[in-house]
Amino acid sequence: MSDTGTTTSRAQDAPHPLRWTALGLLGLAQLMLILDITVVAIALPDMGAELDLDRAALTWVVSGYALTFGSLMLLGGRAADLFGPKHVVLAGLVVFTAASLAAGLATGAPLLLGARIAQGAGAAMISPAALSVVVRLFDGDERNRALGIWSALGGGGAALGVLLGGLITAGPGWAWVFFVNVPIGLAVLVALARILPRLPRAATGSLDIPGTLLVAVATGALIYALIRAGDHGWLDLVTVALAVAAAVVYAAFALWQHRAAAPLMDLRLLTRRPVVAGIFVIAVTTALMVGAFFLGSFYLQNLQGHGALITGVLFLPVALLTMVAAAAAGRVIGRLGARLLAVVALAVAAAGFLVPVLWSGTTAMVTGVSVAAAGLGALFVVASASALASVAPHEAGVTSGIVSTFHEFGASVGAAAVSSAAATSIAARDATASGFDDAFLVATGLAAVSAVIVWWLIPAKQQ
């Protein structure tokens, strides 16, 4: 008998004995995907010098991964529902690990960029499928704790990447930011193949190829527009054209989903208040986190004169507080409720962003960003718990894909906002602190306004 439609209530009836071990391995895989953005960013100067890459090629080393990762996650989530999350996680690890080896061996731009795109495709399979496994293996307060650990690894990964990128680049060299993924990826692959339960398929049908192409093109165009806005401004003709094209293709995707026999996703998911709340929180949180990360890095290196390695060390408290806050939020969200926790966390983030405005210097910057990161770490848990709390097993994969997609949207918005607003202001004012003050005030205002929105948006009893 097919396992399709078989009950998926293992977490409720008989919790899997190795579920926490599985969570640790899945979290390690997710950490690799997050680290692969900032670790590579730190290595770009050495990479460009050795491979003779121009600025455009270096930009695509980062953007190619982000675009592919963001635009294919809905497909990865749907595939997890159709074929079982274990198969998709393992396939994604094979692709990501092989692509990491190819990137480290690259001797020029074509192979390096192709490998980065393949890494993004592998990551788009791993991330939503792994989160789907977490949702299905755990239940109740255990699920909240598991999501706290998951969010701690993802939230702290960007800051840890600065430190690791500096250490690896200064040590064995830039190629090892890719090579390090190979033994880790293989170890996680073998371990997960042995201990991860074969969760039954949660949906029937086939992959919606036209829908996949439409949403991939629309998402890729929108993320590219956001990335481009950072360099060329929000009103640049190509940026605006890309955003308009994305909106048109998204509309075509919505129409197709109403006609398709086996649609990629049920659009009614986007009318559920908890799902919308989770999407909003993950987008705002990631935008603020990425904005704070780039602002802090720029401030410490360009204004305070610290090198990349020292900057990475100074970001260690940011990573640690993000992880601690996320883990703690996973333990208390069941008692406080998602709405109250979100408001408190956004208030903490707003207060942290004000610190470098009121005081100047390295200590004030590190303190302020660390406090803000504590609030943002808790918000990662709120986002996942809100969006995934009320979805059925057959919706877990695609909902995880939606949450992961908006994570990338938020990251792109944060980076673009910093580039177009803060960086322009800094250049115009001869690298004085006033440009940073303006940007951190914007972040403070966004956190404060978002606190009001989530108080209205998140249901009072959402846990």
Side-chain angles (χ1 to χ4, degrees):
M1 184 176 67
S2 171
D3 61 3
T4 304
T6 303
T7 180
T8 58
S9 59
R10 172 186 289 274
Q12 298 172 9
D13 300 331
H16 193 276
L18 296 178
R19 63 194 181 282
W20 292 105
T21 303
L23 173 65
L25 292 168
L26 291 169
L28 182 57
Q30 176 72 1
L31 183 60
M32 276 199 311
L33 312 185
I34 303 300
L35 284 173
D36 219 56
I37 298 175
T38 48
V39 167
V40 170
I42 296 299
L44 285 178
D46 284 32
M47 198 182 300
E50 184 170 329
L51 299 183
D52 194 25
L53 304 178
D54 58 21
R55 181 179 176 278
L58 287 175
T59 299
W60 278 103
V61 170
V62 176
S63 300
Y65 177 78
L67 278 170
T68 312
F69 192 1
S71 60
L72 293 180
M73 274 192 286
L74 267 179
L75 175 62
R78 177 61 175 167
D81 290 337
L82 287 173
F83 308 124
K86 178 177 181 177
H87 296 305
V88 178
V89 168
L90 297 181
L93 278 168
V94 170
V95 173
F96 184 84
T97 303
S100 296
L101 178 62
L105 294 173
T107 56
L111 179 56
L112 179 60
L113 296 181
R116 287 293 280 167
I117 290 171
Q119 276 189 310
M125 298 168 71
I126 297 168
S127 188
L131 184 53
S132 174
V133 172
V134 174
V135 172
R136 293 174 64 183
L137 280 185
F138 296 90
D139 191 52
D141 287 339
E142 270 201 349
R143 179 188 289 180
N144 290 332
R145 288 173 56 198
L147 289 175
I149 295 170
W150 177 269
S151 300
L153 292 170
L160 279 177
V162 182
L163 174 59
L164 294 177
L167 290 172
I168 292 172
T169 304
W174 67 264
W176 282 91
V177 302
F178 300 115
F179 286 149
V180 73
N181 292 330
V182 178
I184 296 174
L186 289 175
V188 172
L189 175 66
V190 172
L192 285 178
R194 294 183 61 186
I195 72 166
L196 202 62
R198 189 185 295 272
L199 295 169
R201 290 178 292 160
T204 58
S206 57
L207 282 178
D208 176 13
I209 300 302
T212 297
L213 292 175
L214 287 170
V215 78
V217 169
T219 304
L222 184 54
I223 291 178
Y224 184 39
L226 294 171
I227 293 171
R228 183 181 172 83
D231 289 330
H232 301 279
W234 296 95
L235 298 180
D236 170 72
L237 182 60
V238 176
T239 300
V240 173
L242 285 167
V244 171
V248 171
V249 180
Y250 272 129
F253 169 72
L255 290 174
W256 173 254
Q257 294 306 282
H258 288 296
R259 296 181 53 191
L264 183 65
M265 64 175 289
D266 183 354
L267 294 178
R268 289 175 296 183
L269 277 172
L270 300 179
T271 66
R272 297 183 192 176
R273 193 169 166 186
V275 175
V276 173
I279 288 171
F280 175 79
V281 172
I282 196 66
V284 168
T285 303
T286 312
L288 289 173
M289 177 67 84
V290 170
F293 164 74
F294 281 107
L295 283 173
S297 179
F298 204 7
Y299 182 96
L300 292 171
Q301 293 187 72
N302 286 28
L303 198 62
Q304 297 297 312
H306 299 296
L309 185 56
I310 296 300
T311 298
V313 173
L314 290 172
F315 263 90
L316 189 57
V318 178
L320 293 176
L321 276 173
T322 303
M323 294 180 177
V324 169
R331 293 181 176 274
V332 303
I333 189 172
R335 295 193 296 273
L336 296 181
R339 183 167 75 169
L340 178 58
L341 181 58
V343 172
V344 171
L346 282 163
V348 170
F353 288 132
L354 268 181
V355 171
V357 177
L358 300 176
W359 295 278
S360 60
T362 297
T363 301
M365 172 59 70
V366 173
T367 301
V369 173
S370 297
V371 171
L376 297 175
L379 287 169
F380 281 114
V381 181
V382 172
S384 298
S386 296
L388 297 167
S390 59
V391 299
H394 70 277
E395 300 167 327
V398 73
T399 306
S400 299
I402 294 171
V403 171
S404 299
T405 299
F406 276 87
H407 182 284
E408 294 305 304
F409 280 153
S412 300
V413 170
V418 167
S419 297
S420 60
T424 301
S425 178
I426 292 166
R429 301 180 188 190
D430 197 24
T432 63
S434 56
F436 294 104
D437 292 346
D438 293 343
F440 276 111
L441 281 174
V442 171
T444 302
L446 176 59
V449 171
S450 297
V452 176
I453 294 174
V454 298
W455 182 259
W456 165 78
L457 186 59
I458 298 177
K461 295 183 180 180
Q462 178 72 19
Q463 297 184 1

